[in-house]
Amino acid sequence: MSPSGTGTLLRLALRRDRVLAPVVVLLLGLTAWSTAAATVALYPDPAQVTSAAVAANASPALVALYGPVHASLGSLASLKMLSTGAVAIALAAVFLLRRHTRTEEETGRVELLGAGALSRHAPLTAAVLHTTLVVLLASALCALGYAASGLPVAGSVALGLAWLVAGLAFTGITAVAVQLTSSARTVAAIAGGGVAAAYLLRAVGDAAGDGPARVLVWLSPLGWAQQVRPYAGERWWVGLLALAFTAATTALAYVLRSRRDLGSGLFADRAGPAHTTMGSPLALAWRLQRSAIVGWSLALVLMGAVLGGFASSAATLLDSPQARDMIRSLGGTGSLTDAFISAEFGIMAAVVAGFGVAAALRMLGEETSTRAELTLSTATSRWSWLMSHVGLALVGSAGILALLGAGAAAADGATRGDLGDSFARVLPAALVQVPPVWVVIGVAVLLYGTASRLAVGAWVVLAGCLVIGQLGELLALPTAVQGLSPFRHVPMLPGAAFDPTPVVALVAVAGILVVVGGSLFRRRDLH
Amino acid sequence: MTTVIHAAGLRKEFGRTRALDGLDLEVQQGEVHGFLGPNGSGKSTTIRVLLGLLRADGGDVSLLGGDPWSQAATLHRRLAYVPGDVALWPNLTGGEVIDLLGRLRGQADDRHAGGRRAELLERFDLDPTKKGRAYSKGNRQKVALVAALASDAELLILDEPTSGLDPLMEEVFRECIREVRDEGRTVLLSSHILSEVEHLCERLTIIRAGRTVQTGSLTDMRHLSRTAVDVELDRSPVALESAPGVHDLRTEGRRVHLSVDPDELGSVMNLLTQCGIRRITSAPPSLEELFMDLYRRPADTAREVGARP
C-alpha cells in the first residue's frame, strides 16, 4: 500500500467537510455534555440512584432498549449515551466513510483524481483517517463533557472509549461494505443494516440477563461499546478488541479493493427491466423515494412498538420528585406514562422531519446532478415536478408518523390488555405531530424555491428545532425563542386537552410555505 | 419557411460573468442547424434559455412560435432534448429512462414509436436492461439520444451529442440525423468541432464569448473549410506566395506551414510535389484558428457574410 496522494486527499476531505465535520462533532459532543449535566441534576441523592437502577433493570424492555444500569450515578447518566449515543456515532462513521469513498466513485470524481498521481488505495486510506479523526474528536468531547459534569474521570474516559469502539468498528465495516456494491445507496443499506443488526444483537443479549443468549452481546460492536463498562469497573481491554476488529475489517477492505475495478462493486449490478409503465413525475418521485419510505416506515413502526411496550414501565423508572418536575416542565400534565409517550413522540417527530427534509431535498440532488434538467425538458411543468416531490414528503412523513403511533398503540394495548383505548389515546398523539413536521418541510421548500444553495439551511432549521425541543428548558431559553420551533405549539397528547387552533394554524403555515416556495421556484433559474 | 427558433440580442448574466452578450440565432423549419463555439462560449446557456430552464436578462426569444419561459411545458411536447453531459438515475435502467422520457413528453406509446425504439437500440448497440450507474458516458448519451430520436418531436435540441460516442456510433448518429431531416423535422446541433457539423448542417451559427460571430450557409462560409498543411520538402519551395488559394504561409527552411482554399488544393499540391514531399500532414482548421481568423478582420465584414444571399 503506497501512501501516494493520501495526504492530499485527506486535506481535500477536511476542506470539503470544514462545516459538516465540526457540526457532527459538536452536535454529538454537546448532546453528551448536556445529558450528563441534566442527569446529574436529576439524582442528587445516592439512594435514588440505587432505586432507579433497580427499577430500570427490572424492566426487560428498558434493558433491551438501553442496556443494563449499574448502581452508580455515572452509569445512570451514561445509559442513553452508551446505547443511542453509540448508535449515533456508528451512523456518523457510516455516513462519513461512504461520503468519501463510494459516493465519490459513483459521481466519477475519483476517476478525475485517479488520473493524477494517486495510488489505488489512497482514497480509502484518506477516508478511514478522516472518519477516525471525526469519531475521535466527538468521543473526546463526550469524555470531557462527562468529566466536567463532576463524574469520575476514569469512567468518563471509558465512555469516550466506548464511543470510539463503536465509531471505529463501523468505520471498518463500512470500508468493507463500499467494496461490495457500486451503489452508494446500497452501501448505506448494508452498513446501516449492520448498525441495526448490532443494536438488535445487543438488545437480545442484554434482555437475556444471565441466560445463554447473553453471549450475543459479544457479537455486536455496540455490545462491545457497552462492555467497556464506564463507571462500573472499566474494562479497558475491550478497546483493544475493537482496534483489532477495525484493523482486520480495514485490511479486508484493502484486499477487496485490489480485486475490483474503480467504480464497480465486488458484486456485479443485476440487469433490470427494459420497459416501464412509469409515466408521470409523481411515479418517478415515488420510484426514487419508495425504498426510503418503506425503510423509514419499518423502522418507525418498530420504534413505536418498543416505546409503547415499555411506556408503562418507564413511569416506574422516572418516579422521582425531580423527574416529575422535569416531565412537568416539558409540559406533561397527565400521568407519567402519558408524559413519557408525549415526550418520546416529540423526539421522534423531529426525526421524521429529518426524513421529510431529505425527501423534499431530493429535488436539490436532482437539480445538481442535472437530472432535473432532463425531466423538465419534457412536458413536465416545474410546478408538477416540485409538487410530486413535496407531496411525497408530506404524505410520507404523515404516514410514517401514523405507523409510529399505530406501533406504539398496538404494543401499549397488548401490555395493558385494552387495544381500543390505546389506539384512541396513542394514535392521535402521534398524528398531532404531523403539522409541525409539515412546517419544517415547508421551510425546506421555501429555501429551495428561493435558491438551490439555500436549501441546506433546512437542516440548520431542523437542528435548531431539535436544540429547542431537547435543551430549551434546560438552557432556560426565553419563551419567544422556544416559540420559534413549530414542535413547541402542538398539544401534548395524550394527557393534555386537544386544542385545534395551533394544529390548524401550523397546517396553514405549512401550506403557505409550500405555495410560496413553489411559486419562487417557478420564477428562478435552474442550475 | 417558418422560423422555429428566433433569438435576437439575447443577454444573460451569472453574477458578474456575462454568459450571453447579445446573441442572435435563427433556425428555420426543416434544417439541421449547426451551433458552433468553443467551450464556455455560451452554447449550453443559450440552449437552457431556449428550454425555459434559464430566464434571459434581455433580448427577444421565441421557440416554435411561443415563449420558452412562460410556455415551457406546452412547447416541450413538441421538442426533444439531449444534454451535453447526460446524468441518469443510478437505479433506473436505460430502457426505463427511454420509456419515461417519452411518456413525460406526452407521447402515446403506439406501435410505431415502439418499433422505432427497438430499431434505434439495435443500431446504437445499446443494452436497455443496464442500470444507469453501470453505463459509460457514451452509453448514457445513447440513452438520451434513443429517447429523443424515438420521439416524434418536430424539433430536436442536441447539445454536443457525440462527445462520448466512438467513430462507429458517430456514423450511426449522422445517419439518424439525416433521416430526421428527411422527415422534415428541425435539428439544432451544438458542437465545438467544425468537422462534426460540416457533415450534417446546411447552415451554421458561430458564437464566441456569448456573441454571434457569424451565421450563414456552409457555402457562404466556404473559406472556413481551408485545409491546414504542414509539409517537409526536399528543396526550398518557390512561388508559393503568389499561388492562388494559399494563406497564412510560414516557411522555416524546408518546412512549410500554409492553409489552402479547397478549390485550389489540387494546384497547390502540384506545386508542392514539384519540390519533393518528404512528409506531409494536413488537417481542417480548428475552430480556434477560425476564430482568430474571424477576429483579425473587422467585425462588420465578419457579420456580413451571413446577410449575403
Side-chain angles (χ1 to χ4, degrees):
Chain A
M1 169 178 33
S2 127
S4 167
T6 306
T8 317
L9 283 179
L10 183 59
R11 277 197 300 278
L12 178 68
L14 289 169
R15 170 152 176 78
R16 279 185 66 208
D17 287 355
R18 65 191 181 282
V19 177
L20 182 76
V23 165
V24 167
V25 168
L26 284 177
L27 208 63
L28 287 167
L30 290 182
T31 310
W33 198 306
S34 68
T35 308
T39 324
V40 170
L42 214 53
Y43 298 98
D45 182 357
Q48 284 174 353
V49 171
T50 319
S51 67
V54 169
N57 289 332
S59 158
L62 202 58
V63 172
L65 193 65
Y66 293 134
V69 188
H70 308 283
S72 72
L73 180 58
S75 179
L76 204 59
S78 61
L79 187 61
K80 266 195 167 181
M81 285 304 111
L82 206 47
S83 47
T84 44
V87 169
I89 200 140
L91 289 176
V94 169
F95 171 76
L96 278 174
L97 197 80
R98 181 188 73 135
R99 174 175 157 84
H100 291 284
T101 50
R102 181 51 75 183
T103 312
E104 287 295 277
E105 274 187 55
E106 204 178 62
T107 53
R109 281 193 287 257
V110 175
E111 210 168 344
L112 189 71
L113 294 168
L118 203 62
S119 87
R120 188 195 302 147
H121 291 309
L124 182 59
T125 311
V128 167
L129 289 176
H130 177 62
T131 310
T132 304
L133 184 68
V134 171
V135 165
L136 190 67
L137 287 175
S139 306
L141 201 58
C142 166
L144 209 62
Y146 270 75
S149 304
L151 291 163
V153 174
S156 305
V157 172
L159 181 62
L161 178 66
W163 270 27
L164 195 60
V165 163
L168 285 184
F170 278 95
T171 303
I173 289 172
T174 315
V176 173
V178 294
Q179 312 305 328
L180 300 180
T181 155
S182 62
S183 155
R185 284 188 180 272
T186 313
V187 169
I190 295 174
V195 176
Y199 186 81
L200 214 61
L201 283 172
R202 192 220 31 87
V204 173
D206 274 336
D210 292 327
R214 171 110 209 100
V215 72
L216 290 180
V217 168
W218 289 99
L219 295 179
S220 157
L222 295 175
W224 303 339
Q226 206 175 57
Q227 291 305 323
V228 176
R229 287 180 67 124
Y231 308 106
E234 291 79 7
R235 292 184 183 138
W236 302 104
W237 56 266
V238 179
L240 290 176
L241 171 74
L243 206 61
F245 176 80
T246 310
T249 42
T250 311
L252 176 64
Y254 281 116
V255 172
L256 295 177
R257 176 64 190 92
S258 328
R259 295 195 182 173
R260 67 172 182 92
D261 295 328
L262 186 69
S264 73
L266 209 60
F267 303 126
D269 265 313
R270 274 174 303 164
H275 285 277
T276 180
T277 50
M278 262 191 294
S280 68
L282 183 62
L284 174 62
W286 166 248
R287 173 66 187 275
L288 299 177
Q289 308 249 22
R290 70 178 175 199
S291 48
I293 292 179
V294 169
W296 274 85
S297 299
L298 281 176
L300 269 282
V301 79
L302 272 177
M303 194 67 210
V306 173
L307 288 177
F310 82 96
S312 20
S313 38
T316 337
L317 170 71
L318 291 169
D319 203 3
S320 79
Q322 285 78 12
R324 280 180 181 283
D325 281 349
M326 188 177 151
I327 296 282
R328 231 166 265 137
S329 77
L330 286 170
T333 44
S335 71
L336 270 177
T337 312
D338 285 354
F340 173 80
I341 289 178
S342 172
E344 290 296 324
F345 279 4
I347 296 169
M348 295 317 292
V351 174
V352 174
F355 157 80
V357 169
L361 293 192
R362 244 326 161 80
M363 292 188 290
L364 179 67
E366 291 287 290
E367 185 177 348
T368 47
S369 69
T370 73
R371 290 190 290 258
E373 190 176 306
L374 205 56
T375 318
L376 291 171
S377 76
T378 68
T380 306
S381 72
R382 289 197 187 193
W383 183 257
S384 62
W385 181 78
L386 177 117
M387 284 317 286
S388 301
H389 283 280
V390 176
L392 217 51
L394 295 174
V395 174
S397 53
I400 289 166
L401 277 171
L403 285 170
L404 170 77
D412 181 57
T415 321
R416 298 190 306 116
D418 188 351
L419 266 181
D421 177 60
S422 286
F423 266 90
R425 282 188 322 111
V426 177
L427 191 56
L431 290 177
V432 83
Q433 300 287 349
V434 171
V437 170
W438 282 1
V439 169
V440 176
I441 294 173
V443 171
V445 177
L446 179 70
L447 290 170
Y448 174 71
T450 310
S452 56
R453 64 173 188 284
L454 296 181
V456 287
W459 292 110
V460 179
V461 170
L462 180 59
C465 292
L466 213 60
V467 168
I468 290 174
Q470 293 296 293
L471 308 172
E473 286 295 331
L474 293 168
L475 301 176
L477 292 176
T479 326
V481 174
Q482 296 201 26
L484 288 174
S485 166
F487 297 96
R488 276 274 142 183
H489 300 286
V490 292
M492 302 284 284
L493 297 184
F498 177 73
D499 177 6
T501 319
V503 175
V504 172
L506 285 171
V507 172
V509 168
I512 291 168
L513 288 170
V514 167
V515 170
V516 172
S519 311
L520 288 170
F521 175 68
R522 290 168 76 186
R523 282 171 181 75
R524 76 164 167 86
D525 285 347
L526 211 69
H527 291 289
Chain B
M1 227 186 235
T2 336
T3 304
V4 173
I5 295 173
H6 165 82
L10 215 52
R11 285 190 295 107
K12 180 72 195 174
E13 275 159 38
F14 298 115
R16 254 176 259 157
T17 5
R18 184 165 294 176
L20 299 181
D21 188 13
L23 184 129
D24 305 318
L25 177 65
E26 196 86 21
V27 178
Q28 304 298 329
Q29 191 178 25
E31 70 169 335
V32 179
H33 193 101
F35 191 35
L36 270 173
N39 292 327
S41 58
K43 297 190 298 291
S44 295
T45 305
T46 308
I47 287 177
R48 288 158 61 77
V49 168
L50 292 173
L51 289 168
L53 298 167
L54 300 177
R55 185 180 218 160
D57 294 332
D60 294 330
V61 58
S62 81
L63 176 100
L64 296 163
D67 176 2
W69 177 258
S70 60
Q71 296 165 263
T74 332
L75 293 174
H76 290 174
R77 286 180 183 278
R78 298 161 60 193
L79 65 84
Y81 164 59
V82 175
D85 195 357
V86 182
L88 299 178
W89 295 272
N91 51 343
L92 259 61
T93 66
E96 287 180 304
V97 173
I98 293 168
D99 285 359
L100 175 72
L101 290 176
R103 290 222 186 79
L104 290 181
R105 217 168 262 138
Q107 181 185 308
D109 19 23
D110 55 9
R111 208 172 288 164
H112 173 65
R116 191 149 63 190
R117 175 190 191 270
E119 181 215 313
L120 285 164
L121 285 174
E122 175 112 351
R123 283 168 79 181
F124 278 104
D125 191 22
L126 180 69
D127 177 1
T129 64
K130 271 187 162 185
K131 296 280 174 68
R133 74 173 77 86
Y135 284 122
S136 64
K137 176 178 162 56
N139 281 333
R140 289 200 305 270
Q141 212 151 27
K142 287 187 203 169
V143 170
L145 274 171
V146 170
L149 292 168
S151 76
D152 41 21
E154 49 194 287
L155 169 64
L156 300 185
I157 297 182
L158 314 175
D159 194 0
E160 308 210 353
T162 59
S163 53
L165 300 185
D166 59 45
L168 212 64
M169 286 303 142
E170 248 176 85
E171 194 43 52
V172 174
F173 168 76
R174 280 178 203 162
E175 279 168 28
C176 289
I177 294 302
R178 285 187 199 110
E179 288 165 20
V180 165
R181 185 189 55 197
D182 294 345
E183 290 166 17
R185 302 201 260 166
T186 314
V187 180
L188 177 67
L189 176 64
S190 100
S191 179
H192 63 272
I193 307 156
L194 181 64
S195 64
E196 183 175 274
V197 295
E198 246 177 352
H199 288 281
L200 289 168
C201 305
E202 302 92 61
R203 277 170 27 93
L204 299 178
T205 294
I206 298 181
I207 67 164
R208 187 184 176 175
R211 270 172 183 278
T212 304
V213 179
Q214 196 156 51
T215 181
S217 73
L218 258 181
T219 345
D220 290 336
M221 296 188 203
R222 198 73 195 185
H223 66 283
L224 295 186
S225 38
R226 275 179 205 157
T227 305
V229 177
D230 181 4
V231 64
E232 206 176 311
L233 304 167
D234 281 337
R235 298 182 293 280
S236 293
V238 282
L240 270 178
E241 292 91 340
S242 52
V246 169
H247 305 267
D248 311 326
L249 181 71
R250 268 184 301 138
T251 314
E252 294 160 16
R254 289 176 183 168
R255 233 179 127 172
V256 179
H257 307 270
L258 68 162
S259 48
V260 191
D261 287 337
D263 299 339
E264 303 295 337
L265 199 54
S267 56
V268 173
M269 286 307 287
N270 274 337
L271 272 178
L272 290 173
T273 316
Q274 284 163 23
C275 304
I277 297 174
R278 279 191 176 176
R279 189 187 55 81
I280 183 165
T281 54
S282 72
S286 76
L287 208 52
E288 280 303 333
E289 282 171 324
L290 275 174
F291 288 130
M292 283 157 77
D293 186 39
L294 285 168
Y295 271 73
R296 266 198 296 270
R297 290 180 291 140
D300 48 353
T301 49
R303 291 239 177 191
E304 256 168 33
V305 179
R308 247 179 8 213

